Amino acid sequence: MWGKWIDCRVRPGAHEAFAAGQRRWSAISDQPGLVGQAGGWAPDGDRALLLALWADEPAYTRFLRERHDRAAAAQHSAYSAIEVATGPVVLTMPGGSPSLPDALTRATVLRAADCRLRPGRADHFLDVQRRLWAPGMAAADGMLGGAVTRLSPDRYLVTTLWTTPAAHHAYTTDHLPALLPRAAVPTDVHTLTGHLLPLEPSWLVLPVRSP
């Protein structure tokens, strides 16, 4: 799979215009290779954060060539800055849903950890994700699934989908304290920017399935 992380700084007074434009992204639901797209408002209220997943890089490149500019045109005036990062999904994380599209359908909140690694720590970081974090989070009620996307050689985005904020909170109190000492996060991670993002239902874009 191929992942895309989008961070938009929305202009004052332009929130509804941005949201209206985001709802129009449903027009790409028939684009070949789309796995799903979801997002919402960051807690500060002036940022919109979005995660998009594609079957592979060629499917994403085809979308950029065929549909992206037309789909994005309605929102250009609504934001003052945008940061887009893309890369391969290097690990999918199991959870209560059988697939990531199903997880996107059921989730109400997205937890994202944007990790900037120390030099030479990528292999160990990914090993810890596989051995510790993936099974540790899968054991938590309400964790639906997730993905680890490599955005650059030393930048990884860990995204997990949860049924409710309460389910994620229960994980942080019941499971996280036992996992953290074993993960030794500071050994691998130089900086970590975390987001607990309530998902906007009307921004969800899922692929149209053939009958």
Side-chain angles (χ1 to χ4, degrees), residues 1 34-36 53 97-106 204 206-207 209:
M1 274 193 301
L34 175 69
V35 176
L53 296 170
S97 285
S99 67
L100 282 174
D102 181 75
L104 287 166
T105 300
R106 296 172 56 193
L204 177 63
L206 292 173
R209 300 299 184 190

Side-chain angles (χ1 to χ4, degrees), residues 115 118 125 128 133 179-190 192:
C115 302
R118 300 185 186 280
F125 173 82
V128 171
W133 289 116
L179 296 171
L180 272 176
R182 297 165 58 198
V185 174
T187 303
D188 295 330
V189 179
H190 181 256
L192 187 156

